[in-house]
PDB file of all heavy atoms in Angstrom:
ATOM      1  N   VAL A 263     -19.417 -12.430 -14.816  1.00 86.00           N
ATOM      2  CA  VAL A 263     -20.234 -13.529 -14.294  1.00 86.00           C
ATOM      3  C   VAL A 263     -19.708 -14.872 -14.798  1.00 86.00           C
ATOM      4  O   VAL A 263     -19.684 -15.864 -14.061  1.00 86.00           O
ATOM      5  CB  VAL A 263     -21.711 -13.314 -14.679  1.00 86.00           C
ATOM      6  CG1 VAL A 263     -22.503 -14.600 -14.504  1.00 86.00           C
ATOM      7  CG2 VAL A 263     -22.314 -12.207 -13.829  1.00 86.00           C
ATOM      8  N   GLU A 264     -19.264 -14.872 -16.054  1.00 83.00           N
ATOM      9  CA  GLU A 264     -18.741 -16.122 -16.587  1.00 83.00           C
ATOM     10  C   GLU A 264     -17.524 -16.586 -15.789  1.00 83.00           C
ATOM     11  O   GLU A 264     -17.348 -17.759 -15.513  1.00 83.00           O
ATOM     12  CB  GLU A 264     -18.377 -15.939 -18.058  1.00 83.00           C
ATOM     13  CG  GLU A 264     -18.213 -17.273 -18.754  1.00 83.00           C
ATOM     14  CD  GLU A 264     -17.727 -17.120 -20.181  1.00 83.00           C
ATOM     15  OE1 GLU A 264     -17.956 -16.050 -20.789  1.00 83.00           O
ATOM     16  OE2 GLU A 264     -17.090 -18.063 -20.656  1.00 83.00           O
ATOM     17  N   GLN A 265     -16.698 -15.609 -15.405  1.00 81.00           N
ATOM     18  CA  GLN A 265     -15.503 -15.908 -14.619  1.00 81.00           C
ATOM     19  C   GLN A 265     -15.842 -16.282 -13.183  1.00 81.00           C
ATOM     20  O   GLN A 265     -15.263 -17.201 -12.622  1.00 81.00           O
ATOM     21  CB  GLN A 265     -14.594 -14.655 -14.565  1.00 81.00           C
ATOM     22  CG  GLN A 265     -13.798 -14.428 -15.822  1.00 81.00           C
ATOM     23  CD  GLN A 265     -12.661 -15.410 -15.938  1.00 81.00           C
ATOM     24  OE1 GLN A 265     -11.949 -15.653 -14.974  1.00 81.00           O
ATOM     25  NE2 GLN A 265     -12.514 -16.026 -17.105  1.00 81.00           N
ATOM     26  N   LEU A 266     -16.749 -15.538 -12.585  1.00 83.00           N
ATOM     27  CA  LEU A 266     -16.907 -15.576 -11.132  1.00 83.00           C
ATOM     28  C   LEU A 266     -18.138 -16.334 -10.651  1.00 83.00           C
ATOM     29  O   LEU A 266     -18.247 -16.652  -9.484  1.00 83.00           O
ATOM     30  CB  LEU A 266     -16.967 -14.141 -10.593  1.00 83.00           C
ATOM     31  CG  LEU A 266     -15.750 -13.278 -10.905  1.00 83.00           C
ATOM     32  CD1 LEU A 266     -16.039 -11.822 -10.618  1.00 83.00           C
ATOM     33  CD2 LEU A 266     -14.550 -13.741 -10.093  1.00 83.00           C
ATOM     34  N   GLY A 267     -19.098 -16.591 -11.569  1.00 84.00           N
ATOM     35  CA  GLY A 267     -20.289 -17.323 -11.151  1.00 84.00           C
ATOM     36  C   GLY A 267     -21.498 -16.424 -11.042  1.00 84.00           C
ATOM     37  O   GLY A 267     -22.449 -16.561 -11.797  1.00 84.00           O
ATOM     38  N   ILE A 268     -21.455 -15.500 -10.110  1.00 86.00           N
ATOM     39  CA  ILE A 268     -22.608 -14.618  -9.929  1.00 86.00           C
ATOM     40  C   ILE A 268     -22.146 -13.328  -9.274  1.00 86.00           C
ATOM     41  O   ILE A 268     -21.140 -13.316  -8.546  1.00 86.00           O
ATOM     42  CB  ILE A 268     -23.701 -15.295  -9.070  1.00 86.00           C
ATOM     43  CG1 ILE A 268     -25.032 -14.534  -9.187  1.00 86.00           C
ATOM     44  CG2 ILE A 268     -23.257 -15.404  -7.616  1.00 86.00           C
ATOM     45  CD1 ILE A 268     -26.211 -15.322  -8.659  1.00 86.00           C
ATOM     46  N   MET A 269     -22.872 -12.231  -9.548  1.00 87.00           N
ATOM     47  CA  MET A 269     -22.536 -10.958  -8.913  1.00 87.00           C
ATOM     48  C   MET A 269     -23.772 -10.433  -8.196  1.00 87.00           C
ATOM     49  O   MET A 269     -24.856 -10.412  -8.770  1.00 87.00           O
ATOM     50  CB  MET A 269     -22.081  -9.945  -9.970  1.00 87.00           C
ATOM     51  CG  MET A 269     -20.857 -10.417 -10.749  1.00 87.00           C
ATOM     52  SD  MET A 269     -20.270  -9.162 -11.882  1.00 87.00           S
ATOM     53  CE  MET A 269     -19.011  -8.387 -10.894  1.00 87.00           C
ATOM     54  N   PRO A 270     -23.615  -9.981  -6.952  1.00 88.00           N
ATOM     55  CA  PRO A 270     -24.774  -9.544  -6.174  1.00 88.00           C
ATOM     56  C   PRO A 270     -25.191  -8.110  -6.516  1.00 88.00           C
ATOM     57  O   PRO A 270     -25.258  -7.247  -5.643  1.00 88.00           O
ATOM     58  CB  PRO A 270     -24.289  -9.668  -4.725  1.00 88.00           C
ATOM     59  CG  PRO A 270     -22.814  -9.443  -4.811  1.00 88.00           C
ATOM     60  CD  PRO A 270     -22.369  -9.938  -6.151  1.00 88.00           C
ATOM     61  N   TYR A 271     -25.452  -7.831  -7.791  1.00 89.00           N
ATOM     62  CA  TYR A 271     -25.814  -6.477  -8.216  1.00 89.00           C
ATOM     63  C   TYR A 271     -27.080  -6.525  -9.050  1.00 89.00           C
ATOM     64  O   TYR A 271     -27.306  -7.458  -9.818  1.00 89.00           O
ATOM     65  CB  TYR A 271     -24.657  -5.846  -9.012  1.00 89.00           C
ATOM     66  CG  TYR A 271     -23.427  -5.654  -8.153  1.00 89.00           C
ATOM     67  CD1 TYR A 271     -22.440  -6.637  -8.081  1.00 89.00           C
ATOM     68  CD2 TYR A 271     -23.283  -4.507  -7.374  1.00 89.00           C
ATOM     69  CE1 TYR A 271     -21.336  -6.480  -7.271  1.00 89.00           C
ATOM     70  CE2 TYR A 271     -22.180  -4.342  -6.553  1.00 89.00           C
ATOM     71  CZ  TYR A 271     -21.208  -5.331  -6.498  1.00 89.00           C
ATOM     72  OH  TYR A 271     -20.132  -5.168  -5.683  1.00 89.00           O
ATOM     73  N   LYS A 272     -27.885  -5.438  -8.907  1.00 87.00           N
ATOM     74  CA  LYS A 272     -29.210  -5.405  -9.528  1.00 87.00           C
ATOM     75  C   LYS A 272     -29.145  -5.545 -11.035  1.00 87.00           C
ATOM     76  O   LYS A 272     -29.971  -6.207 -11.660  1.00 87.00           O
ATOM     77  CB  LYS A 272     -29.899  -4.072  -9.205  1.00 87.00           C
ATOM     78  CG  LYS A 272     -30.270  -3.917  -7.749  1.00 87.00           C
ATOM     79  CD  LYS A 272     -30.807  -2.509  -7.519  1.00 87.00           C
ATOM     80  CE  LYS A 272     -30.656  -2.109  -6.058  1.00 87.00           C
ATOM     81  NZ  LYS A 272     -30.546  -0.651  -5.901  1.00 87.00           N
ATOM     82  N   ASN A 273     -28.141  -4.895 -11.647  1.00 87.00           N
ATOM     83  CA  ASN A 273     -28.135  -4.822 -13.101  1.00 87.00           C
ATOM     84  C   ASN A 273     -27.133  -5.762 -13.768  1.00 87.00           C
ATOM     85  O   ASN A 273     -26.912  -5.677 -14.976  1.00 87.00           O
ATOM     86  CB  ASN A 273     -27.866  -3.386 -13.549  1.00 87.00           C
ATOM     87  CG  ASN A 273     -28.970  -2.460 -13.069  1.00 87.00           C
ATOM     88  OD1 ASN A 273     -30.148  -2.773 -13.215  1.00 87.00           O
ATOM     89  ND2 ASN A 273     -28.594  -1.337 -12.456  1.00 87.00           N
ATOM     90  N   ALA A 274     -26.535  -6.628 -12.985  1.00 86.00           N
ATOM     91  CA  ALA A 274     -25.596  -7.588 -13.578  1.00 86.00           C
ATOM     92  C   ALA A 274     -26.398  -8.657 -14.319  1.00 86.00           C
ATOM     93  O   ALA A 274     -27.559  -8.917 -13.984  1.00 86.00           O
ATOM     94  CB  ALA A 274     -24.749  -8.231 -12.495  1.00 86.00           C
ATOM     95  N   VAL A 275     -25.790  -9.276 -15.336  1.00 86.00           N
ATOM     96  CA  VAL A 275     -26.524 -10.323 -16.051  1.00 86.00           C
ATOM     97  C   VAL A 275     -26.697 -11.517 -15.123  1.00 86.00           C
ATOM     98  O   VAL A 275     -25.962 -11.695 -14.154  1.00 86.00           O
ATOM     99  CB  VAL A 275     -25.792 -10.778 -17.340  1.00 86.00           C
ATOM    100  CG1 VAL A 275     -25.624  -9.625 -18.294  1.00 86.00           C
ATOM    101  CG2 VAL A 275     -24.486 -11.449 -16.993  1.00 86.00           C
ATOM    102  N   GLU A 276     -27.676 -12.328 -15.481  1.00 84.00           N
ATOM    103  CA  GLU A 276     -27.981 -13.463 -14.632  1.00 84.00           C
ATOM    104  C   GLU A 276     -26.897 -14.528 -14.766  1.00 84.00           C
ATOM    105  O   GLU A 276     -26.271 -14.675 -15.812  1.00 84.00           O
ATOM    106  CB  GLU A 276     -29.335 -14.039 -15.046  1.00 84.00           C
ATOM    107  CG  GLU A 276     -30.068 -14.666 -13.889  1.00 84.00           C
ATOM    108  CD  GLU A 276     -31.445 -15.136 -14.315  1.00 84.00           C
ATOM    109  OE1 GLU A 276     -32.348 -14.283 -14.474  1.00 84.00           O
ATOM    110  OE2 GLU A 276     -31.593 -16.350 -14.507  1.00 84.00           O
ATOM    111  N   SER A 277     -26.702 -15.247 -13.710  1.00 87.00           N
ATOM    112  CA  SER A 277     -25.679 -16.284 -13.716  1.00 87.00           C
ATOM    113  C   SER A 277     -26.142 -17.481 -14.534  1.00 87.00           C
ATOM    114  O   SER A 277     -27.326 -17.727 -14.706  1.00 87.00           O
ATOM    115  CB  SER A 277     -25.398 -16.723 -12.287  1.00 87.00           C
ATOM    116  OG  SER A 277     -24.574 -17.846 -12.292  1.00 87.00           O
ATOM    117  N   THR A 278     -25.184 -18.244 -15.037  1.00 87.00           N
ATOM    118  CA  THR A 278     -25.509 -19.505 -15.699  1.00 87.00           C
ATOM    119  C   THR A 278     -25.432 -20.660 -14.713  1.00 87.00           C
ATOM    120  O   THR A 278     -25.677 -21.796 -15.060  1.00 87.00           O
ATOM    121  CB  THR A 278     -24.530 -19.783 -16.850  1.00 87.00           C
ATOM    122  OG1 THR A 278     -23.207 -19.639 -16.334  1.00 87.00           O
ATOM    123  CG2 THR A 278     -24.745 -18.816 -17.994  1.00 87.00           C
ATOM    124  N   ASN A 279     -25.049 -20.343 -13.484  1.00 92.00           N
ATOM    125  CA  ASN A 279     -24.933 -21.376 -12.462  1.00 92.00           C
ATOM    126  C   ASN A 279     -26.269 -21.500 -11.731  1.00 92.00           C
ATOM    127  O   ASN A 279     -26.693 -20.599 -11.015  1.00 92.00           O
ATOM    128  CB  ASN A 279     -23.813 -21.004 -11.486  1.00 92.00           C
ATOM    129  CG  ASN A 279     -23.588 -22.064 -10.422  1.00 92.00           C
ATOM    130  OD1 ASN A 279     -24.534 -22.537  -9.797  1.00 92.00           O
ATOM    131  ND2 ASN A 279     -22.341 -22.441 -10.227  1.00 92.00           N
ATOM    132  N   GLY A 280     -26.934 -22.632 -11.935  1.00 93.00           N
ATOM    133  CA  GLY A 280     -28.274 -22.819 -11.395  1.00 93.00           C
ATOM    134  C   GLY A 280     -28.335 -22.679  -9.887  1.00 93.00           C
ATOM    135  O   GLY A 280     -29.300 -22.138  -9.340  1.00 93.00           O
ATOM    136  N   PHE A 281     -27.294 -23.145  -9.197  1.00 94.00           N
ATOM    137  CA  PHE A 281     -27.329 -23.096  -7.737  1.00 94.00           C
ATOM    138  C   PHE A 281     -27.188 -21.668  -7.230  1.00 94.00           C
ATOM    139  O   PHE A 281     -27.824 -21.274  -6.261  1.00 94.00           O
ATOM    140  CB  PHE A 281     -26.225 -23.976  -7.140  1.00 94.00           C
ATOM    141  CG  PHE A 281     -26.364 -25.428  -7.513  1.00 94.00           C
ATOM    142  CD1 PHE A 281     -25.255 -26.254  -7.584  1.00 94.00           C
ATOM    143  CD2 PHE A 281     -27.616 -25.972  -7.782  1.00 94.00           C
ATOM    144  CE1 PHE A 281     -25.378 -27.595  -7.919  1.00 94.00           C
ATOM    145  CE2 PHE A 281     -27.752 -27.318  -8.128  1.00 94.00           C
ATOM    146  CZ  PHE A 281     -26.627 -28.123  -8.205  1.00 94.00           C
TER     147      PHE A 281
END
Side-chain angles (χ1 to χ4, degrees):
Chain A
V263 164
E264 196 185 335
Q265 282 286 315
L266 301 167
I268 195 166
M269 300 185 95
Y271 295 92
K272 292 174 203 153
N273 298 313
V275 300
E276 210 176 284
S277 171
T278 51
N279 182 312
F281 299 152

